[in-house]
Structure formats: C-alpha cells, structure tokens
Amino acid sequence: QQPVQSPQAVILREGEDAVINCSSSKALYSVHWYRQKHGEAPVFLMILLKGGEQKGHEKISASFNEKKQQSSLYLTASQLSYSGTYFCGTERGGSYIPTFGRGTSLIVHP
Amino acid sequence: DTGVSQDPRHKITKRGQNVTFRCDPISEHNRLYWYRQTLGQGPEFLTYFQNEAQLEKSRLLSDRFSAERPKGSFSTLEIQRTEQGDSAMYLCASSRRDRDTEAFFGQGTRLTVV
C-alpha cells in the first residue's frame, strides 16, 4: 500500500528549514528516502530501520516512529541544491520491495 | 562500478507494437527491480528479481508485460501490444543481497506510445 507524503510541495528561501512527512497504514520494517531532480534518476538519501535510530548526514536527517508508522525527513539551512522531489519508500517486513509515495516537491529560492 | 545502465533511454512506438527494454544492474547486485513512473507520481512497483528468480509481480501488471533475468545478470522488460496508457518512464534498480541496503536506480527508459 502506497505511503502518504505531506506536504505535496514546499517553497523555501535558502537557509530555511523544511520537514517532509511520510505515513503508512501498515506496519513497516524500513523507510527509504530518495531525492529526484527533473529528468534524472532517484538518488538514495538514507534508510531507517525498525528499531533503529534517527539518521542524518550534514543538514539532512530523518526519524522513524514505528508505533505510528511514520517517518519524517528534516532539511535544515536549505541550499539551492536541495531542490527536487523527495520520495519515501516504505517496506513491510519480508517484502524487500520499497513502495513509494507520490513525492514532495521542494523548491529552494535564492 | 558503472552504475545501473538502461537501454534505450528513449523509445517512441506506435500503439499495438511490442517493445523491449534492457537493464544492466551493478555487478554483484543480486536484487533487481522494475518500476514505472508517470509525471507527478512516485515510482510504481512492477516486478522484483532475486538472482534469476522473479519473486514478485505487481497485481496491477497486465499479461502484456513480461520480464526476465536470465542467469541473474541483466534483465529485460517486454511490453506487448502497447497502449497509450503505457507511456511512462520505466526505471530499473538494483541492490545487494544484504538486507537494508540502498537501491541504485538507472536513468530510465522513457516510452512514448503514439
């Protein structure tokens, strides 16, 4: 079942913060986050596992609340290069198959 | 390691024709996925291979779609009797055997059915 992402779109100025949410109605084993720029392939950002800790690198981090079947992606002090569409992919235990949401479009202006 | 390679990058075909796409995964990646993506949507799962075995196929996939992965290396996706609704970007991804590793996506094949 497809996860639900919110918001659908975010417009920011450089240096501002953003949060993108991903929720599922099914129990999850893991959540994958990808960023896709127009005309390009999705690029992996991070994966969060059931029972794991919040992850992050540089100014992009994410959390996974297993009980609520929700994950959030945090982008702090956004840069122009952060622009793109962010997808979460959720995996139920044993499936090995990420199911992707409809994406959140992020636009960062100078 | 040259990444996931897909061929062709673009395909325009007339309705009713058959088309075949190829995906070369990263070497030693035993898992291979096919997804379809339309404008404004996330990648939609089509089918999944572990080595040469096709382990799962989306229920949304009609019988006109078939995929193979002979010898557990490259994979092909064939669409028979194409319809205009098949127009989309077809993405291939591969990942290692280890659990919880990232999937690397190819650049995709953009199919246009006219």
Side-chain angles (χ1 to χ4, degrees):
Chain A
Q1 188 150 1
Q2 187 178 43
V4 177
Q5 289 186 234
S6 64
Q8 288 187 321
V10 183
I11 300 175
L12 301 172
R13 291 197 179 276
E14 262 187 305
E16 293 182 338
D17 301 340
V19 180
I20 299 172
N21 300 303
C22 173
S23 64
S24 173
S25 59
K26 303 284 187 181
L28 300 175
Y29 178 82
S30 67
V31 179
H32 308 223
W33 284 97
Y34 284 78
R35 176 173 59 210
Q36 185 177 32
K37 294 184 180 284
H38 183 70
E40 298 181 7
V43 174
F44 176 80
L45 294 176
M46 64 190 75
I47 183 171
L48 298 103
L49 310 177
K50 180 179 178 179
E53 299 177 352
Q54 180 165 337
K55 284 196 171 182
H57 55 88
E58 296 186 350
K59 298 174 183 176
I60 300 177
S61 62
S63 63
F64 179 22
N65 186 324
E66 301 158 27
K67 291 182 180 179
K68 294 185 176 180
Q69 290 127 226
Q70 293 176 346
S71 177
S72 294
L73 185 71
Y74 307 94
L75 301 105
T76 57
S78 58
Q79 305 169 14
L80 295 177
S81 62
Y82 288 3
S83 293
T85 301
Y86 290 77
F87 295 101
C88 71
T90 54
E91 179 196 351
R92 291 180 287 124
S95 75
Y96 297 94
I97 300 168
T99 300
F100 290 92
R102 298 181 71 170
T104 295
S105 174
L106 181 75
I107 300 173
V108 181
H109 287 298
Chain B
D1 185 347
T2 58
V4 178
S5 177
Q6 293 189 243
D7 183 71
R9 293 290 306 276
H10 303 274
K11 178 72 177 178
I12 299 175
T13 190
K14 291 184 178 180
R15 188 175 55 183
Q17 297 294 306
N18 299 344
V19 293
T20 300
F21 310 141
R22 177 180 170 120
C23 170
D24 286 273
I26 294 172
S27 59
E28 299 176 358
H29 278 196
N30 74 325
R31 296 189 202 163
L32 187 146
Y33 307 82
W34 283 99
Y35 286 87
R36 176 173 61 191
Q37 187 176 29
T38 54
L39 194 63
Q41 301 294 318
E44 176 189 24
F45 170 73
L46 294 179
T47 190
Y48 159 60
F49 289 85
Q50 185 163 308
N51 299 314
E52 66 275 8
Q54 187 175 20
L55 296 186
E56 191 152 342
K57 185 176 176 180
S58 169
R59 287 172 289 177
L60 301 175
L61 214 58
S62 77
D63 292 341
R64 296 185 297 107
F65 288 73
S66 62
E68 293 182 341
R69 193 183 181 195
K71 303 178 183 178
S73 54
F74 72 92
S75 176
T76 58
L77 177 69
E78 181 183 15
I79 309 174
Q80 297 181 329
R81 305 181 302 281
T82 53
E83 302 173 356
Q84 287 190 322
D86 297 332
S87 296
M89 175 73 83
Y90 289 83
L91 294 165
C92 175
S94 70
S95 66
R96 294 199 321 261
R97 179 183 185 84
D98 307 331
R99 192 63 193 271
D100 317 322
T101 58
E102 62 182 286
F104 291 84
F105 280 86
Q107 294 293 316
T109 294
R110 180 166 296 284
L111 174 67
T112 303
V113 182
V114 297

